[in-house]
mmCIF file of all heavy atoms in Angstrom:
data_model
loop_
_atom_site.group_PDB
_atom_site.id
_atom_site.type_symbol
_atom_site.label_atom_id
_atom_site.label_comp_id
_atom_site.label_asym_id
_atom_site.label_seq_id
_atom_site.Cartn_x
_atom_site.Cartn_y
_atom_site.Cartn_z
ATOM 1 N N LYS A 47 12.290 -45.263 9.214
ATOM 2 C CA LYS A 47 13.266 -44.641 8.320
ATOM 3 C C LYS A 47 14.592 -45.408 8.310
ATOM 4 O O LYS A 47 15.207 -45.566 7.254
ATOM 5 C CB LYS A 47 13.491 -43.186 8.747
ATOM 6 C CG LYS A 47 14.406 -42.410 7.827
ATOM 7 C CD LYS A 47 14.492 -40.961 8.286
ATOM 8 C CE LYS A 47 15.584 -40.200 7.614
ATOM 9 N NZ LYS A 47 15.715 -38.838 8.141
ATOM 10 N N GLU A 48 15.017 -45.896 9.451
ATOM 11 C CA GLU A 48 16.268 -46.655 9.505
ATOM 12 C C GLU A 48 16.185 -47.909 8.621
ATOM 13 O O GLU A 48 17.118 -48.209 7.874
ATOM 14 C CB GLU A 48 16.594 -47.049 10.944
ATOM 15 C CG GLU A 48 17.904 -47.817 11.064
ATOM 16 C CD GLU A 48 18.252 -48.180 12.497
ATOM 17 O OE1 GLU A 48 17.734 -47.548 13.437
ATOM 18 O OE2 GLU A 48 19.055 -49.104 12.665
ATOM 19 N N GLU A 49 15.083 -48.617 8.693
ATOM 20 C CA GLU A 49 14.918 -49.807 7.853
ATOM 21 C C GLU A 49 14.899 -49.428 6.373
ATOM 22 O O GLU A 49 15.495 -50.110 5.542
ATOM 23 C CB GLU A 49 13.640 -50.557 8.210
ATOM 24 C CG GLU A 49 13.453 -51.827 7.385
ATOM 25 C CD GLU A 49 12.185 -52.584 7.741
ATOM 26 O OE1 GLU A 49 12.018 -52.915 8.935
ATOM 27 O OE2 GLU A 49 11.388 -52.839 6.823
ATOM 28 N N LEU A 50 14.235 -48.341 6.032
ATOM 29 C CA LEU A 50 14.203 -47.861 4.653
ATOM 30 C C LEU A 50 15.619 -47.557 4.151
ATOM 31 O O LEU A 50 16.011 -47.997 3.068
ATOM 32 C CB LEU A 50 13.323 -46.602 4.563
ATOM 33 C CG LEU A 50 13.365 -45.791 3.265
ATOM 34 C CD1 LEU A 50 12.984 -46.634 2.056
ATOM 35 C CD2 LEU A 50 12.449 -44.580 3.392
ATOM 36 N N ILE A 51 16.386 -46.843 4.930
ATOM 37 C CA ILE A 51 17.753 -46.492 4.536
ATOM 38 C C ILE A 51 18.626 -47.751 4.446
ATOM 39 O O ILE A 51 19.412 -47.904 3.513
ATOM 40 C CB ILE A 51 18.342 -45.449 5.503
ATOM 41 C CG1 ILE A 51 17.604 -44.119 5.338
ATOM 42 C CG2 ILE A 51 19.841 -45.265 5.274
ATOM 43 C CD1 ILE A 51 17.919 -43.086 6.400
ATOM 44 N N ASN A 52 18.469 -48.664 5.407
ATOM 45 C CA ASN A 52 19.229 -49.913 5.362
ATOM 46 C C ASN A 52 18.891 -50.731 4.121
ATOM 47 O O ASN A 52 19.777 -51.307 3.483
ATOM 48 C CB ASN A 52 18.988 -50.743 6.622
ATOM 49 C CG ASN A 52 19.725 -50.217 7.835
ATOM 50 O OD1 ASN A 52 20.650 -49.429 7.717
ATOM 51 N ND2 ASN A 52 19.306 -50.655 9.004
ATOM 52 N N GLU A 53 17.622 -50.802 3.754
ATOM 53 C CA GLU A 53 17.214 -51.553 2.561
ATOM 54 C C GLU A 53 17.751 -50.899 1.293
ATOM 55 O O GLU A 53 18.171 -51.590 0.361
ATOM 56 C CB GLU A 53 15.693 -51.690 2.495
ATOM 57 C CG GLU A 53 15.135 -52.679 3.498
ATOM 58 C CD GLU A 53 15.700 -54.081 3.329
ATOM 59 O OE1 GLU A 53 15.705 -54.597 2.189
ATOM 60 O OE2 GLU A 53 16.133 -54.665 4.335
ATOM 61 N N LEU A 54 17.733 -49.583 1.251
ATOM 62 C CA LEU A 54 18.300 -48.871 0.109
ATOM 63 C C LEU A 54 19.788 -49.186 0.000
ATOM 64 O O LEU A 54 20.294 -49.496 -1.084
ATOM 65 C CB LEU A 54 18.080 -47.360 0.263
ATOM 66 C CG LEU A 54 18.682 -46.467 -0.826
ATOM 67 C CD1 LEU A 54 18.107 -46.807 -2.197
ATOM 68 C CD2 LEU A 54 18.432 -44.995 -0.480
ATOM 69 N N TYR A 55 20.486 -49.143 1.124
ATOM 70 C CA TYR A 55 21.910 -49.474 1.135
ATOM 71 C C TYR A 55 22.143 -50.889 0.618
ATOM 72 O O TYR A 55 23.006 -51.124 -0.235
ATOM 73 C CB TYR A 55 22.478 -49.319 2.545
ATOM 74 C CG TYR A 55 23.899 -49.801 2.661
ATOM 75 C CD1 TYR A 55 24.958 -49.029 2.185
ATOM 76 C CD2 TYR A 55 24.195 -51.042 3.212
ATOM 77 C CE1 TYR A 55 26.269 -49.476 2.261
ATOM 78 C CE2 TYR A 55 25.501 -51.495 3.293
ATOM 79 C CZ TYR A 55 26.528 -50.708 2.818
ATOM 80 O OH TYR A 55 27.822 -51.155 2.888
ATOM 81 N N LYS A 56 21.394 -51.855 1.133
ATOM 82 C CA LYS A 56 21.569 -53.246 0.718
ATOM 83 C C LYS A 56 21.375 -53.405 -0.786
ATOM 84 O O LYS A 56 22.165 -54.083 -1.449
ATOM 85 C CB LYS A 56 20.592 -54.159 1.445
ATOM 86 C CG LYS A 56 20.929 -54.430 2.874
ATOM 87 C CD LYS A 56 19.900 -55.391 3.447
ATOM 88 C CE LYS A 56 19.804 -55.308 4.931
ATOM 89 N NZ LYS A 56 18.792 -56.220 5.473
ATOM 90 N N GLU A 57 20.337 -52.804 -1.327
ATOM 91 C CA GLU A 57 20.071 -52.940 -2.763
ATOM 92 C C GLU A 57 21.193 -52.341 -3.605
ATOM 93 O O GLU A 57 21.634 -52.941 -4.581
ATOM 94 C CB GLU A 57 18.725 -52.317 -3.118
ATOM 95 C CG GLU A 57 17.568 -53.159 -2.639
ATOM 96 C CD GLU A 57 16.247 -52.801 -3.279
ATOM 97 O OE1 GLU A 57 16.227 -52.087 -4.309
ATOM 98 O OE2 GLU A 57 15.219 -53.256 -2.736
ATOM 99 N N ILE A 58 21.646 -51.164 -3.225
ATOM 100 C CA ILE A 58 22.724 -50.516 -3.991
ATOM 101 C C ILE A 58 24.027 -51.293 -3.835
ATOM 102 O O ILE A 58 24.739 -51.537 -4.811
ATOM 103 C CB ILE A 58 22.893 -49.045 -3.563
ATOM 104 C CG1 ILE A 58 21.649 -48.241 -3.949
ATOM 105 C CG2 ILE A 58 24.143 -48.437 -4.198
ATOM 106 C CD1 ILE A 58 21.611 -46.834 -3.377
ATOM 107 N N LYS A 59 24.347 -51.701 -2.623
ATOM 108 C CA LYS A 59 25.588 -52.436 -2.375
ATOM 109 C C LYS A 59 25.601 -53.765 -3.135
ATOM 110 O O LYS A 59 26.608 -54.124 -3.761
ATOM 111 C CB LYS A 59 25.761 -52.672 -0.870
ATOM 112 C CG LYS A 59 27.056 -53.336 -0.480
ATOM 113 C CD LYS A 59 28.218 -52.383 -0.579
ATOM 114 C CE LYS A 59 29.443 -52.959 0.085
ATOM 115 N NZ LYS A 59 30.475 -51.957 0.291
ATOM 116 N N LEU A 60 24.489 -54.484 -3.116
ATOM 117 C CA LEU A 60 24.416 -55.752 -3.842
ATOM 118 C C LEU A 60 24.537 -55.539 -5.348
ATOM 119 O O LEU A 60 25.178 -56.335 -6.043
ATOM 120 C CB LEU A 60 23.130 -56.497 -3.492
ATOM 121 C CG LEU A 60 23.117 -57.122 -2.100
ATOM 122 C CD1 LEU A 60 21.726 -57.662 -1.764
ATOM 123 C CD2 LEU A 60 24.161 -58.215 -1.966
ATOM 124 N N ASP A 61 23.951 -54.474 -5.854
ATOM 125 C CA ASP A 61 24.073 -54.161 -7.281
ATOM 126 C C ASP A 61 25.526 -53.860 -7.624
ATOM 127 O O ASP A 61 26.061 -54.376 -8.611
ATOM 128 C CB ASP A 61 23.177 -52.965 -7.629
ATOM 129 C CG ASP A 61 23.164 -52.666 -9.114
ATOM 130 O OD1 ASP A 61 22.966 -53.602 -9.923
ATOM 131 O OD2 ASP A 61 23.350 -51.487 -9.473
ATOM 132 N N LEU A 62 26.182 -53.054 -6.808
ATOM 133 C CA LEU A 62 27.601 -52.743 -7.019
ATOM 134 C C LEU A 62 28.449 -54.022 -7.011
ATOM 135 O O LEU A 62 29.277 -54.236 -7.890
ATOM 136 C CB LEU A 62 28.109 -51.774 -5.941
ATOM 137 C CG LEU A 62 29.633 -51.593 -5.854
ATOM 138 C CD1 LEU A 62 30.182 -50.924 -7.102
ATOM 139 C CD2 LEU A 62 29.988 -50.798 -4.609
ATOM 140 N N LEU A 63 28.228 -54.876 -6.030
ATOM 141 C CA LEU A 63 29.004 -56.110 -5.936
ATOM 142 C C LEU A 63 28.724 -57.040 -7.115
ATOM 143 O O LEU A 63 29.639 -57.659 -7.653
ATOM 144 C CB LEU A 63 28.719 -56.813 -4.613
ATOM 145 C CG LEU A 63 29.238 -56.096 -3.369
ATOM 146 C CD1 LEU A 63 28.680 -56.734 -2.104
ATOM 147 C CD2 LEU A 63 30.758 -56.072 -3.337
ATOM 148 N N ARG A 64 27.464 -57.131 -7.520
ATOM 149 C CA ARG A 64 27.102 -57.980 -8.660
ATOM 150 C C ARG A 64 27.830 -57.524 -9.913
ATOM 151 O O ARG A 64 28.429 -58.323 -10.631
ATOM 152 C CB ARG A 64 25.588 -57.947 -8.886
ATOM 153 C CG ARG A 64 25.103 -58.791 -10.047
ATOM 154 C CD ARG A 64 23.624 -58.573 -10.348
ATOM 155 N NE ARG A 64 23.263 -57.181 -10.542
ATOM 156 C CZ ARG A 64 23.509 -56.467 -11.646
ATOM 157 N NH1 ARG A 64 24.146 -57.003 -12.652
ATOM 158 N NH2 ARG A 64 23.129 -55.206 -11.741
ATOM 159 N N VAL A 65 27.830 -56.229 -10.167
ATOM 160 C CA VAL A 65 28.501 -55.686 -11.349
ATOM 161 C C VAL A 65 30.020 -55.841 -11.220
ATOM 162 O O VAL A 65 30.696 -56.222 -12.170
ATOM 163 C CB VAL A 65 28.109 -54.205 -11.571
ATOM 164 C CG1 VAL A 65 28.968 -53.556 -12.640
ATOM 165 C CG2 VAL A 65 26.631 -54.106 -11.928
ATOM 166 N N THR A 66 30.548 -55.562 -10.047
ATOM 167 C CA THR A 66 31.994 -55.652 -9.831
ATOM 168 C C THR A 66 32.518 -57.068 -10.065
ATOM 169 O O THR A 66 33.589 -57.253 -10.623
ATOM 170 C CB THR A 66 32.348 -55.178 -8.408
ATOM 171 O OG1 THR A 66 31.945 -53.809 -8.273
ATOM 172 C CG2 THR A 66 33.828 -55.290 -8.132
ATOM 173 N N LEU A 67 31.742 -58.054 -9.673
ATOM 174 C CA LEU A 67 32.171 -59.449 -9.785
ATOM 175 C C LEU A 67 31.630 -60.146 -11.033
ATOM 176 O O LEU A 67 31.763 -61.367 -11.166
ATOM 177 C CB LEU A 67 31.756 -60.216 -8.529
ATOM 178 C CG LEU A 67 32.453 -59.762 -7.248
ATOM 179 C CD1 LEU A 67 31.769 -60.353 -6.022
ATOM 180 C CD2 LEU A 67 33.924 -60.120 -7.282
ATOM 181 N N ALA A 68 31.063 -59.406 -11.962
ATOM 182 C CA ALA A 68 30.399 -59.991 -13.130
ATOM 183 C C ALA A 68 31.295 -60.925 -13.938
ATOM 184 O O ALA A 68 30.858 -61.961 -14.399
ATOM 185 C CB ALA A 68 29.845 -58.880 -14.025
#
Side-chain angles (χ1 to χ4, degrees):
K47 184 176 168 184
E48 181 179 339
E49 182 180 305
L50 169 58
I51 292 170
N52 284 343
E53 287 301 311
L54 177 60
Y55 173 77
K56 285 182 203 179
E57 287 196 15
I58 294 171
K59 184 74 168 194
L60 287 172
D61 185 49
L62 167 66
L63 292 169
R64 180 188 53 77
V65 170
T66 299
L67 294 168

